[in-house]
Amino acid sequence: MEFLKHKSTEYTLKFLIIITLVILVNLAVRHQIFRYDMTEEKRYSMNDATISMLQNLKEPVYVEVYLAGDINAEFTRLQTAVKQTLEQFKTYAYGNLQYSFVNPDEASTANSRNEFYRYLVDKGIQPTTVYDSEEGRKSQKLIFPGAEITYGGRSLPVILLNGNNASGAGQAITQSIENLEFELASTIKSLSNSERKSVALYQGEGSPSMEVLNGLNEVVSTKYDFIPVGNTARLSNFDAVIFVKPSEDFSNSELYDIDQYIMNGGKGLFFMDGLMMDIDSIKDYGAMALPIETGLDDLLFKYGVRVNNDILQDVNSGNFPIVTGNLGQDPQIQLLPWPYYIILNKYAEHPIVRNLNAVYGKFVSSIDTVASTGIQKTPLLFTSDYTRRLKGPLHISFENLKEDMKPENFNLKNVPVAYLLEGEFTSAYQNRLPPEGKNESARKSISVENSIIVASDGDLLLSEINKQNGQAFPLGVDPYAKHPSNFANDQLILNMLNYLLDEDGLIISRNKELKIRPLDKVKVAEDKVWLQFINVALPILLIVVFGVLRYYWRKRKYAKFNG
Protein backbone atom coordinates (compact mmCIF):
# COMPACT_ATOMS: atom_id res chain seq x y z
CA MET A 1 0.00 0.00 0.00
CA GLU A 2 3.07 2.14 -0.30
CA PHE A 3 1.75 3.69 -3.58
CA LEU A 4 -1.11 5.34 -1.67
CA LYS A 5 1.41 7.57 0.06
CA HIS A 6 2.55 9.11 -3.21
CA LYS A 7 1.37 12.65 -3.93
CA SER A 8 0.37 11.76 -7.52
CA THR A 9 -1.87 8.97 -6.26
CA GLU A 10 -3.52 11.31 -3.76
CA TYR A 11 -4.28 13.88 -6.47
CA THR A 12 -5.63 11.17 -8.78
CA LEU A 13 -8.00 9.84 -6.10
CA LYS A 14 -9.25 13.35 -5.28
CA PHE A 15 -9.86 14.00 -8.97
CA LEU A 16 -11.81 10.74 -9.36
CA ILE A 17 -13.90 11.54 -6.26
CA ILE A 18 -14.76 14.98 -7.61
CA ILE A 19 -15.71 13.53 -11.02
CA THR A 20 -17.90 10.91 -9.33
CA LEU A 21 -19.65 13.54 -7.22
CA VAL A 22 -20.29 15.71 -10.31
CA ILE A 23 -21.79 12.71 -12.15
CA LEU A 24 -23.99 11.78 -9.16
CA VAL A 25 -25.24 15.38 -8.78
CA ASN A 26 -26.06 15.55 -12.51
CA LEU A 27 -27.97 12.26 -12.32
CA ALA A 28 -29.90 13.48 -9.28
CA VAL A 29 -31.00 16.77 -10.90
CA ARG A 30 -31.25 15.66 -14.53
CA HIS A 31 -35.04 16.21 -14.47
CA GLN A 32 -34.82 19.54 -12.65
CA ILE A 33 -34.68 22.82 -14.55
CA PHE A 34 -32.89 25.73 -12.89
CA ARG A 35 -33.31 29.14 -14.50
CA TYR A 36 -33.22 32.67 -13.17
CA ASP A 37 -34.89 35.42 -15.18
CA MET A 38 -33.08 38.70 -14.55
CA THR A 39 -35.33 40.84 -16.78
CA GLU A 40 -37.57 43.38 -15.01
CA GLU A 41 -40.78 42.15 -16.70
CA LYS A 42 -39.79 38.45 -16.47
CA ARG A 43 -39.98 38.06 -20.23
CA TYR A 44 -38.20 34.68 -20.17
CA SER A 45 -40.34 33.20 -17.38
CA MET A 46 -43.25 30.87 -18.05
CA ASN A 47 -46.62 30.46 -16.42
CA ASP A 48 -46.74 27.54 -13.95
CA ALA A 49 -49.78 26.17 -15.82
CA THR A 50 -47.77 26.09 -19.07
CA ILE A 51 -44.85 24.30 -17.41
CA SER A 52 -47.14 21.73 -15.76
CA MET A 53 -48.92 21.03 -19.05
CA LEU A 54 -45.63 20.51 -20.93
CA GLN A 55 -44.19 18.27 -18.23
CA ASN A 56 -47.25 16.01 -18.37
CA LEU A 57 -47.26 15.38 -22.13
CA LYS A 58 -47.67 11.68 -22.82
CA GLU A 59 -46.78 11.78 -26.53
CA PRO A 60 -44.43 13.85 -28.69
CA VAL A 61 -45.65 17.20 -30.01
CA TYR A 62 -44.58 18.32 -33.47
CA VAL A 63 -44.66 22.01 -34.42
CA GLU A 64 -44.21 23.23 -38.00
CA VAL A 65 -43.67 26.99 -38.19
CA TYR A 66 -44.30 28.63 -41.56
CA LEU A 67 -42.77 31.99 -40.65
CA ALA A 68 -39.55 31.45 -42.59
CA GLY A 69 -37.75 32.53 -45.73
CA ASP A 70 -37.16 36.09 -46.93
CA ILE A 71 -38.89 38.20 -44.29
CA ASN A 72 -38.29 41.75 -43.08
CA ALA A 73 -36.73 42.84 -39.80
CA GLU A 74 -39.98 43.09 -37.82
CA PHE A 75 -41.10 39.58 -38.74
CA THR A 76 -37.57 38.32 -38.10
CA ARG A 77 -38.05 39.59 -34.55
CA LEU A 78 -41.26 37.57 -34.29
CA GLN A 79 -39.51 34.53 -35.81
CA THR A 80 -36.71 34.76 -33.23
CA ALA A 81 -39.25 35.01 -30.40
CA VAL A 82 -41.10 31.93 -31.71
CA LYS A 83 -37.86 29.96 -31.76
CA GLN A 84 -36.93 31.06 -28.23
CA THR A 85 -40.39 30.15 -26.92
CA LEU A 86 -40.32 26.73 -28.58
CA GLU A 87 -36.84 26.10 -27.15
CA GLN A 88 -38.22 26.80 -23.68
CA PHE A 89 -41.17 24.51 -24.40
CA LYS A 90 -38.78 21.80 -25.55
CA THR A 91 -36.77 22.07 -22.33
CA TYR A 92 -39.79 21.82 -20.03
CA ALA A 93 -41.32 19.00 -22.13
CA TYR A 94 -38.22 16.85 -21.48
CA GLY A 95 -37.64 16.40 -25.20
CA ASN A 96 -41.30 15.57 -25.89
CA LEU A 97 -41.54 18.49 -28.32
CA GLN A 98 -39.92 18.88 -31.73
CA TYR A 99 -40.19 21.85 -34.05
CA SER A 100 -39.06 22.92 -37.49
CA PHE A 101 -39.31 26.05 -39.64
CA VAL A 102 -40.73 25.55 -43.14
CA ASN A 103 -40.38 28.12 -45.92
CA PRO A 104 -43.59 28.12 -48.00
CA ASP A 105 -41.63 29.55 -50.96
CA GLU A 106 -39.19 26.63 -51.23
CA ALA A 107 -41.37 24.65 -53.64
CA SER A 108 -39.61 23.66 -56.86
CA THR A 109 -42.31 25.08 -59.18
CA ALA A 110 -44.84 27.91 -59.08
CA ASN A 111 -47.71 25.39 -59.19
CA SER A 112 -46.31 23.49 -56.22
CA ARG A 113 -45.87 26.72 -54.29
CA ASN A 114 -49.46 27.81 -55.02
CA GLU A 115 -50.73 24.37 -53.96
CA PHE A 116 -48.89 24.73 -50.66
CA TYR A 117 -50.32 28.23 -50.24
CA ARG A 118 -53.84 26.82 -50.70
CA TYR A 119 -53.08 24.04 -48.22
CA LEU A 120 -52.11 26.60 -45.55
CA VAL A 121 -55.17 28.79 -46.22
CA ASP A 122 -57.44 25.73 -45.98
CA LYS A 123 -55.80 24.97 -42.63
CA GLY A 124 -56.82 28.43 -41.43
CA ILE A 125 -53.39 30.09 -41.71
CA GLN A 126 -54.02 33.29 -43.63
CA PRO A 127 -51.15 35.05 -45.44
CA THR A 128 -49.96 38.57 -44.75
CA THR A 129 -48.65 40.87 -47.47
CA VAL A 130 -45.35 42.52 -46.57
CA TYR A 131 -44.24 45.62 -48.44
CA ASP A 132 -40.53 46.37 -48.49
CA SER A 133 -38.14 48.78 -50.14
CA GLU A 134 -34.54 47.96 -50.98
CA GLU A 135 -32.18 50.20 -52.96
CA GLY A 136 -35.12 52.25 -54.20
CA ARG A 137 -37.04 49.22 -55.44
CA LYS A 138 -40.37 48.45 -53.82
CA SER A 139 -41.46 44.85 -53.47
CA GLN A 140 -44.23 42.86 -51.89
CA LYS A 141 -44.46 39.22 -50.91
CA LEU A 142 -46.72 36.87 -49.02
CA ILE A 143 -45.66 35.43 -45.69
CA PHE A 144 -47.57 33.01 -43.47
CA PRO A 145 -47.21 34.00 -39.78
CA GLY A 146 -48.63 30.77 -38.47
CA ALA A 147 -47.80 27.24 -37.34
CA GLU A 148 -49.37 23.80 -37.25
CA ILE A 149 -49.18 21.69 -34.10
CA THR A 150 -49.65 17.91 -34.25
CA TYR A 151 -50.24 15.62 -31.29
CA GLY A 152 -51.62 12.09 -31.21
CA GLY A 153 -52.59 12.12 -34.88
CA ARG A 154 -54.55 15.38 -34.59
CA SER A 155 -53.42 18.82 -35.66
CA LEU A 156 -54.52 22.42 -35.17
CA PRO A 157 -53.31 25.71 -36.67
CA VAL A 158 -51.86 28.55 -34.58
CA ILE A 159 -51.94 32.17 -35.72
CA LEU A 160 -48.73 33.83 -34.56
CA LEU A 161 -49.58 37.37 -35.68
CA ASN A 162 -52.52 38.49 -33.55
CA GLY A 163 -51.78 41.89 -32.05
CA ASN A 164 -53.94 44.99 -32.37
CA ASN A 165 -53.45 46.36 -35.89
CA ALA A 166 -54.47 49.86 -34.80
CA SER A 167 -51.31 50.05 -32.66
CA GLY A 168 -49.05 50.05 -35.71
CA ALA A 169 -47.00 47.27 -37.28
CA GLY A 170 -44.14 47.32 -34.78
CA GLN A 171 -46.40 47.36 -31.73
CA ALA A 172 -48.61 44.61 -33.22
CA ILE A 173 -45.50 42.42 -33.57
CA THR A 174 -44.57 43.13 -29.93
CA GLN A 175 -48.10 42.24 -28.80
CA SER A 176 -47.93 39.03 -30.85
CA ILE A 177 -44.70 38.11 -29.08
CA GLU A 178 -46.40 38.72 -25.72
CA ASN A 179 -49.19 36.33 -26.77
CA LEU A 180 -46.91 33.55 -28.07
CA GLU A 181 -46.81 31.45 -24.91
CA PHE A 182 -50.59 31.39 -24.55
CA GLU A 183 -51.32 30.76 -28.24
CA LEU A 184 -48.91 27.82 -28.45
CA ALA A 185 -49.65 26.38 -25.00
CA SER A 186 -53.45 26.57 -25.31
CA THR A 187 -53.34 24.77 -28.66
CA ILE A 188 -51.10 22.02 -27.29
CA LYS A 189 -53.44 21.67 -24.32
CA SER A 190 -56.47 21.35 -26.60
CA LEU A 191 -54.76 18.56 -28.55
CA SER A 192 -53.38 16.72 -25.54
CA ASN A 193 -56.50 16.95 -23.37
CA SER A 194 -58.51 13.78 -23.97
CA GLU A 195 -61.55 15.09 -22.08
CA ARG A 196 -62.75 18.22 -23.81
CA LYS A 197 -65.15 20.47 -21.95
CA SER A 198 -68.65 20.88 -23.32
CA VAL A 199 -70.33 24.15 -24.27
CA ALA A 200 -74.06 24.46 -24.99
CA LEU A 201 -75.46 26.88 -27.57
CA TYR A 202 -78.98 27.68 -26.42
CA GLN A 203 -81.35 27.49 -29.38
CA GLY A 204 -84.82 28.49 -28.33
CA GLU A 205 -87.75 29.83 -30.26
CA GLY A 206 -86.72 32.87 -32.26
CA SER A 207 -82.98 32.22 -31.91
CA PRO A 208 -80.67 32.96 -34.88
CA SER A 209 -80.46 30.24 -37.52
CA MET A 210 -77.56 27.79 -37.51
CA GLU A 211 -76.57 29.28 -40.87
CA VAL A 212 -75.47 32.61 -39.33
CA LEU A 213 -74.06 30.70 -36.33
CA ASN A 214 -71.83 28.57 -38.56
CA GLY A 215 -68.76 30.74 -37.95
CA LEU A 216 -69.25 30.54 -34.18
CA ASN A 217 -69.66 26.78 -34.42
CA GLU A 218 -66.41 26.40 -36.39
CA VAL A 219 -64.45 28.53 -33.91
CA VAL A 220 -65.69 27.01 -30.65
CA SER A 221 -65.57 23.43 -31.98
CA THR A 222 -61.80 23.65 -32.39
CA LYS A 223 -61.35 23.52 -28.60
CA TYR A 224 -64.67 22.47 -27.07
CA ASP A 225 -67.58 20.11 -27.70
CA PHE A 226 -70.16 22.60 -28.98
CA ILE A 227 -73.76 21.37 -28.95
CA PRO A 228 -77.05 23.19 -29.70
CA VAL A 229 -79.59 22.75 -26.90
CA GLY A 230 -83.24 23.80 -26.85
CA ASN A 231 -84.18 22.62 -23.37
CA THR A 232 -82.99 24.56 -20.33
CA ALA A 233 -83.39 21.47 -18.13
CA ARG A 234 -80.41 19.94 -19.98
CA LEU A 235 -78.01 22.79 -19.21
CA SER A 236 -76.65 21.01 -16.13
CA ASN A 237 -74.90 18.55 -18.50
CA PHE A 238 -72.62 21.30 -19.85
CA ASP A 239 -69.70 23.29 -18.48
CA ALA A 240 -70.85 26.54 -20.12
CA VAL A 241 -73.81 27.86 -22.09
CA ILE A 242 -73.92 30.66 -24.66
CA PHE A 243 -77.08 32.68 -25.25
CA VAL A 244 -76.86 34.46 -28.62
CA LYS A 245 -79.38 37.21 -29.38
CA PRO A 246 -82.30 35.67 -27.47
CA SER A 247 -85.66 37.13 -28.48
CA GLU A 248 -88.19 34.72 -26.95
CA ASP A 249 -89.98 35.28 -23.67
CA PHE A 250 -88.54 32.64 -21.35
CA SER A 251 -91.03 30.88 -19.11
CA ASN A 252 -90.71 31.04 -15.34
CA SER A 253 -89.58 27.41 -15.32
CA GLU A 254 -86.88 28.08 -17.92
CA LEU A 255 -85.58 31.12 -16.03
CA TYR A 256 -85.43 29.00 -12.87
CA ASP A 257 -83.33 26.37 -14.71
CA ILE A 258 -80.91 29.05 -15.93
CA ASP A 259 -80.68 30.65 -12.47
CA GLN A 260 -79.95 27.34 -10.74
CA TYR A 261 -77.44 26.44 -13.43
CA ILE A 262 -75.49 29.57 -12.48
CA MET A 263 -75.96 28.88 -8.75
CA ASN A 264 -74.40 25.43 -9.20
CA GLY A 265 -71.27 26.73 -10.94
CA GLY A 266 -72.30 26.69 -14.60
CA LYS A 267 -70.69 29.39 -16.74
CA GLY A 268 -73.05 31.68 -18.64
CA LEU A 269 -72.24 33.92 -21.60
CA PHE A 270 -75.10 36.26 -22.50
CA PHE A 271 -74.91 38.15 -25.82
CA MET A 272 -78.09 40.21 -25.73
CA ASP A 273 -79.64 43.10 -27.63
CA GLY A 274 -81.34 45.98 -25.84
CA LEU A 275 -83.56 46.71 -28.85
CA MET A 276 -84.72 44.25 -31.51
CA MET A 277 -83.24 45.25 -34.85
CA ASP A 278 -81.93 43.38 -37.87
CA ILE A 279 -80.45 44.91 -41.00
CA ASP A 280 -82.70 42.79 -43.25
CA SER A 281 -85.81 44.24 -41.63
CA ILE A 282 -84.92 47.78 -42.78
CA LYS A 283 -86.81 48.39 -46.01
CA ASP A 284 -87.34 51.54 -48.05
CA TYR A 285 -89.08 53.35 -45.21
CA GLY A 286 -87.00 52.02 -42.34
CA ALA A 287 -87.98 49.92 -39.34
CA MET A 288 -88.72 50.36 -35.66
CA ALA A 289 -86.22 49.08 -33.09
CA LEU A 290 -88.38 47.90 -30.19
CA PRO A 291 -87.50 46.71 -26.66
CA ILE A 292 -87.09 42.97 -26.17
CA GLU A 293 -88.73 41.20 -23.26
CA THR A 294 -87.08 37.86 -22.53
CA GLY A 295 -87.10 37.64 -18.75
CA LEU A 296 -83.32 37.21 -18.72
CA ASP A 297 -83.09 40.89 -17.74
CA ASP A 298 -84.50 40.06 -14.30
CA LEU A 299 -81.81 37.44 -13.70
CA LEU A 300 -78.98 39.67 -14.90
CA PHE A 301 -80.28 42.58 -12.84
CA LYS A 302 -80.05 40.40 -9.76
CA TYR A 303 -76.52 39.38 -10.74
CA GLY A 304 -75.39 43.01 -11.11
CA VAL A 305 -75.93 44.37 -14.65
CA ARG A 306 -78.69 45.71 -16.88
CA VAL A 307 -78.71 45.81 -20.69
CA ASN A 308 -80.47 49.08 -21.56
CA ASN A 309 -83.24 49.55 -24.14
CA ASP A 310 -81.14 51.75 -26.39
CA ILE A 311 -78.78 51.64 -29.36
CA LEU A 312 -75.37 53.29 -29.52
CA GLN A 313 -73.89 55.16 -32.46
CA ASP A 314 -70.16 55.70 -32.79
CA VAL A 315 -67.87 57.73 -35.04
CA ASN A 316 -65.51 54.73 -35.16
CA SER A 317 -67.83 52.74 -37.39
CA GLY A 318 -67.92 50.35 -40.31
CA ASN A 319 -69.49 50.96 -43.71
CA PHE A 320 -72.64 49.83 -45.46
CA PRO A 321 -73.55 49.94 -49.17
CA ILE A 322 -76.40 52.22 -50.18
CA VAL A 323 -77.85 53.33 -53.52
CA THR A 324 -76.94 57.02 -53.87
CA GLY A 325 -78.35 57.56 -57.37
CA ASN A 326 -78.67 56.13 -60.85
CA LEU A 327 -76.48 56.25 -63.91
CA GLY A 328 -79.00 55.67 -66.63
CA GLN A 329 -80.89 52.61 -65.46
CA ASP A 330 -78.04 51.29 -63.29
CA PRO A 331 -78.10 52.07 -59.58
CA GLN A 332 -74.97 53.65 -58.16
CA ILE A 333 -73.92 51.95 -54.94
CA GLN A 334 -71.58 53.65 -52.50
CA LEU A 335 -70.11 52.57 -49.16
CA LEU A 336 -71.01 55.08 -46.46
CA PRO A 337 -70.22 55.14 -42.73
CA TRP A 338 -72.99 53.40 -40.76
CA PRO A 339 -72.72 54.53 -37.12
CA TYR A 340 -74.84 51.59 -35.89
CA TYR A 341 -71.99 49.22 -36.93
CA ILE A 342 -69.37 49.94 -34.28
CA ILE A 343 -65.69 49.00 -34.41
CA LEU A 344 -64.82 48.24 -30.78
CA ASN A 345 -61.13 48.77 -30.18
CA LYS A 346 -60.81 49.93 -26.57
CA TYR A 347 -60.31 47.28 -23.91
CA ALA A 348 -59.72 46.83 -20.21
CA GLU A 349 -56.42 45.60 -18.81
CA HIS A 350 -57.56 41.99 -18.57
CA PRO A 351 -56.20 38.75 -20.06
CA ILE A 352 -59.47 38.14 -21.95
CA VAL A 353 -59.01 41.22 -24.13
CA ARG A 354 -55.33 42.13 -23.76
CA ASN A 355 -53.61 42.74 -27.13
CA LEU A 356 -56.83 41.85 -28.94
CA ASN A 357 -57.50 43.23 -32.40
CA ALA A 358 -60.69 45.25 -32.95
CA VAL A 359 -64.06 43.47 -32.82
CA TYR A 360 -67.16 44.36 -34.84
CA GLY A 361 -70.53 45.10 -33.23
CA LYS A 362 -73.93 45.84 -34.81
CA PHE A 363 -76.80 47.68 -33.13
CA VAL A 364 -74.95 47.67 -29.81
CA SER A 365 -76.66 48.71 -26.58
CA SER A 366 -75.22 50.19 -23.39
CA ILE A 367 -74.88 48.35 -20.07
CA ASP A 368 -75.38 49.73 -16.57
CA THR A 369 -74.22 48.10 -13.35
CA VAL A 370 -76.45 47.77 -10.31
CA ALA A 371 -75.70 47.04 -6.68
CA SER A 372 -74.96 43.37 -6.01
CA THR A 373 -73.19 42.24 -2.86
CA GLY A 374 -69.99 40.28 -3.34
CA ILE A 375 -69.83 40.59 -7.15
CA GLN A 376 -66.78 42.05 -8.86
CA LYS A 377 -67.74 43.73 -12.14
CA THR A 378 -65.00 44.18 -14.76
CA PRO A 379 -65.85 46.09 -17.97
CA LEU A 380 -64.12 44.42 -20.91
CA LEU A 381 -65.11 46.32 -24.08
CA PHE A 382 -65.75 50.02 -24.59
CA THR A 383 -66.87 52.30 -27.40
CA SER A 384 -64.61 55.11 -28.64
CA ASP A 385 -64.31 58.67 -27.35
CA TYR A 386 -67.19 59.76 -29.63
CA THR A 387 -70.39 57.87 -28.90
CA ARG A 388 -74.07 58.74 -28.94
CA ARG A 389 -76.94 56.96 -27.18
CA LEU A 390 -80.38 56.72 -28.77
CA LYS A 391 -83.20 55.50 -26.54
CA GLY A 392 -85.83 53.11 -27.82
CA PRO A 393 -88.28 52.71 -29.38
CA LEU A 394 -86.27 54.02 -32.31
CA HIS A 395 -86.90 54.43 -36.04
CA ILE A 396 -83.88 53.38 -38.13
CA SER A 397 -83.66 54.09 -41.85
CA PHE A 398 -81.02 53.93 -44.54
CA GLU A 399 -81.54 57.65 -44.89
CA ASN A 400 -79.45 57.92 -41.70
CA LEU A 401 -76.46 56.95 -43.83
CA LYS A 402 -76.69 60.23 -45.69
CA GLU A 403 -76.39 62.29 -42.51
CA ASP A 404 -73.06 63.84 -41.63
CA MET A 405 -71.47 62.41 -38.48
CA LYS A 406 -70.52 65.51 -36.52
CA PRO A 407 -68.22 64.63 -33.60
CA GLU A 408 -69.84 67.31 -31.40
CA ASN A 409 -73.09 65.32 -31.49
CA PHE A 410 -71.35 62.26 -30.10
CA ASN A 411 -70.92 63.44 -26.53
CA LEU A 412 -70.44 60.13 -24.69
CA LYS A 413 -67.06 58.52 -24.12
CA ASN A 414 -65.96 54.90 -23.65
CA VAL A 415 -69.36 53.35 -22.94
CA PRO A 416 -68.96 49.76 -21.59
CA VAL A 417 -70.63 47.10 -23.74
CA ALA A 418 -69.40 43.89 -22.09
CA TYR A 419 -68.87 42.93 -18.44
CA LEU A 420 -67.22 40.07 -16.61
CA LEU A 421 -69.02 39.30 -13.33
CA GLU A 422 -67.21 37.24 -10.69
CA GLY A 423 -68.14 36.19 -7.16
CA GLU A 424 -70.93 34.47 -5.26
CA PHE A 425 -74.17 35.26 -7.05
CA THR A 426 -77.50 35.64 -5.26
CA SER A 427 -80.34 33.68 -6.82
CA ALA A 428 -83.21 35.61 -8.38
CA TYR A 429 -85.43 33.02 -6.69
CA GLN A 430 -83.96 33.48 -3.22
CA ASN A 431 -87.21 34.70 -1.64
CA ARG A 432 -89.59 33.24 -4.20
CA LEU A 433 -91.32 29.91 -4.55
CA PRO A 434 -89.83 27.74 -7.28
CA PRO A 435 -92.02 27.03 -10.34
CA GLU A 436 -94.40 24.13 -10.19
CA GLY A 437 -92.65 20.81 -10.64
CA LYS A 438 -89.24 22.05 -9.43
CA ASN A 439 -87.61 20.51 -6.35
CA GLU A 440 -87.48 23.20 -3.66
CA SER A 441 -85.06 21.22 -1.46
CA ALA A 442 -82.45 21.25 -4.25
CA ARG A 443 -82.68 25.02 -4.73
CA LYS A 444 -79.54 27.07 -4.01
CA SER A 445 -79.89 30.69 -2.92
CA ILE A 446 -76.19 31.59 -3.10
CA SER A 447 -73.91 30.30 -5.83
CA VAL A 448 -70.51 28.75 -5.47
CA GLU A 449 -67.65 31.04 -6.55
CA ASN A 450 -68.55 31.58 -10.19
CA SER A 451 -68.19 33.91 -13.18
CA ILE A 452 -70.37 34.93 -16.11
CA ILE A 453 -70.04 37.37 -19.03
CA VAL A 454 -72.70 39.74 -20.35
CA ALA A 455 -72.34 41.60 -23.67
CA SER A 456 -74.93 44.02 -25.06
CA ASP A 457 -74.76 42.86 -28.67
CA GLY A 458 -76.07 39.58 -30.01
CA ASP A 459 -74.50 40.18 -33.43
CA LEU A 460 -70.96 39.87 -32.03
CA LEU A 461 -71.20 36.09 -32.59
CA LEU A 462 -73.13 36.06 -35.87
CA SER A 463 -71.61 35.66 -39.34
CA GLU A 464 -72.53 37.65 -42.42
CA ILE A 465 -73.99 35.72 -45.35
CA ASN A 466 -72.32 35.90 -48.75
CA LYS A 467 -75.05 37.23 -51.07
CA GLN A 468 -73.47 35.54 -54.09
CA ASN A 469 -73.32 31.92 -52.90
CA GLY A 470 -75.49 31.97 -49.78
CA GLN A 471 -72.62 30.70 -47.61
CA ALA A 472 -71.71 32.19 -44.25
CA PHE A 473 -68.49 34.18 -43.94
CA PRO A 474 -66.11 33.24 -41.11
CA LEU A 475 -66.89 34.92 -37.81
CA GLY A 476 -65.56 38.48 -37.72
CA VAL A 477 -65.41 39.07 -41.50
CA ASP A 478 -66.95 42.32 -42.72
CA PRO A 479 -67.84 41.83 -46.42
CA TYR A 480 -68.35 45.57 -46.86
CA ALA A 481 -64.95 46.66 -45.58
CA LYS A 482 -62.90 48.80 -47.94
CA HIS A 483 -59.87 46.79 -46.93
CA PRO A 484 -61.27 43.34 -46.07
CA SER A 485 -59.75 41.87 -42.94
CA ASN A 486 -60.95 39.71 -40.11
CA PHE A 487 -62.04 41.33 -36.89
CA ALA A 488 -61.22 39.48 -33.66
CA ASN A 489 -64.76 38.35 -32.79
CA ASP A 490 -63.61 34.72 -33.02
CA GLN A 491 -60.65 35.28 -30.71
CA LEU A 492 -62.85 37.19 -28.27
CA ILE A 493 -65.29 34.32 -27.71
CA LEU A 494 -62.43 31.81 -27.40
CA ASN A 495 -60.68 34.00 -24.84
CA MET A 496 -63.91 34.34 -22.88
CA LEU A 497 -64.46 30.58 -22.81
CA ASN A 498 -60.80 29.95 -21.99
CA TYR A 499 -60.99 32.31 -19.04
CA LEU A 500 -64.25 30.91 -17.66
CA LEU A 501 -63.34 27.23 -18.15
CA ASP A 502 -59.57 27.29 -17.64
CA GLU A 503 -59.12 25.87 -14.14
CA ASP A 504 -55.32 25.75 -14.50
CA GLY A 505 -54.95 29.47 -15.19
CA LEU A 506 -53.23 29.06 -18.56
CA ILE A 507 -54.83 32.25 -19.89
CA ILE A 508 -52.96 34.31 -17.27
CA SER A 509 -49.92 34.02 -19.56
CA ARG A 510 -51.67 36.62 -21.76
CA ASN A 511 -50.66 39.16 -19.10
CA LYS A 512 -47.02 38.90 -20.17
CA GLU A 513 -45.64 42.30 -21.11
CA LEU A 514 -42.51 43.19 -23.06
CA LYS A 515 -41.33 46.70 -22.30
CA ILE A 516 -39.74 48.43 -25.26
CA ARG A 517 -37.07 50.88 -24.10
CA PRO A 518 -36.25 53.05 -27.14
CA LEU A 519 -33.25 55.35 -27.07
CA ASP A 520 -33.78 59.07 -26.71
CA LYS A 521 -32.93 60.15 -30.28
CA VAL A 522 -32.36 63.81 -29.30
CA LYS A 523 -29.98 62.87 -26.50
CA VAL A 524 -28.16 60.37 -28.73
CA ALA A 525 -27.59 63.08 -31.34
CA GLU A 526 -26.31 65.55 -28.71
CA ASP A 527 -23.90 63.07 -27.07
CA LYS A 528 -22.92 61.16 -30.22
CA VAL A 529 -19.13 61.70 -29.92
CA TRP A 530 -19.07 60.89 -26.20
CA LEU A 531 -21.13 57.70 -26.70
CA GLN A 532 -18.86 56.60 -29.56
CA PHE A 533 -15.83 57.13 -27.33
CA ILE A 534 -17.35 55.09 -24.47
CA ASN A 535 -18.45 52.20 -26.71
CA VAL A 536 -15.55 52.07 -29.18
CA ALA A 537 -12.39 53.80 -27.93
CA LEU A 538 -12.66 53.27 -24.15
CA PRO A 539 -12.62 49.40 -24.27
CA ILE A 540 -9.50 49.49 -26.49
CA LEU A 541 -7.83 52.05 -24.19
CA LEU A 542 -8.53 49.92 -21.10
CA ILE A 543 -6.98 46.85 -22.79
CA VAL A 544 -3.85 48.84 -23.68
CA VAL A 545 -3.55 50.20 -20.11
CA PHE A 546 -4.02 46.71 -18.69
CA GLY A 547 -1.31 45.35 -21.03
CA VAL A 548 1.19 48.06 -20.04
CA LEU A 549 0.55 47.57 -16.31
CA ARG A 550 0.88 43.80 -16.64
CA TYR A 551 4.16 44.21 -18.55
CA TYR A 552 5.71 46.37 -15.78
CA TRP A 553 4.35 44.06 -13.06
CA ARG A 554 5.96 41.01 -14.70
CA LYS A 555 9.19 42.95 -15.25
CA ARG A 556 9.40 43.87 -11.53
CA LYS A 557 8.49 40.34 -10.46
CA TYR A 558 11.20 38.61 -12.45
CA ALA A 559 13.75 41.36 -11.74
CA LYS A 560 13.81 40.14 -8.09
CA PHE A 561 14.90 36.65 -9.15
CA ASN A 562 17.68 38.04 -11.35
CA GLY A 563 18.91 40.30 -8.61
Side-chain angles (χ1 to χ4, degrees), residues 216 219 356-361 457 459-462 475-477 486-494:
L216 174 66
V219 169
L356 196 67
N357 202 1
V359 300
Y360 204 26
D457 180 20
D459 293 287
L460 278 175
L461 302 185
L462 301 185
L475 184 61
V477 170
N486 288 21
F487 288 94
N489 298 47
D490 53 349
Q491 189 62 54
L492 175 66
I493 183 60
L494 278 182

Side-chain angles (χ1 to χ4, degrees), residues 371-406:
S372 51
T373 306
I375 300 300
Q376 179 182 346
K377 309 176 188 76
T378 305
L380 297 175
L381 279 73
F382 304 86
T383 61
S384 77
D385 292 348
Y386 300 95
T387 306
R388 178 163 62 179
R389 179 186 176 193
L390 304 175
K391 294 183 179 180
L394 175 67
H395 181 262
I396 296 178
S397 169
F398 288 132
E399 291 298 313
N400 301 136
L401 284 162
K402 299 176 183 178
E403 298 175 0
D404 292 332
M405 289 198 297
K406 299 177 181 178

Side-chain angles (χ1 to χ4, degrees), residues 245-308:
K245 204 167 185 171
S247 59
E248 67 174 294
D249 189 4
F250 287 85
S251 69
N252 191 33
S253 178
E254 290 172 326
L255 292 173
Y256 181 83
D257 289 337
I258 297 169
D259 177 80
Q260 289 303 295
Y261 175 75
I262 301 296
M263 293 305 109
N264 285 281
K267 312 297 182 182
L269 297 94
F270 301 86
F271 291 81
M272 304 175 59
D273 289 336
L275 296 177
M276 185 182 295
M277 175 49 60
D278 187 276
I279 193 69
D280 293 330
S281 66
I282 304 177
K283 305 299 181 182
D284 294 337
Y285 301 103
M288 289 297 295
L290 301 172
I292 305 173
E293 298 294 336
T294 64
L296 288 174
D297 299 330
D298 295 334
L299 297 186
L300 298 180
F301 187 88
K302 188 69 175 179
Y303 301 157
V305 293
R306 177 181 61 208
V307 177
N308 296 314

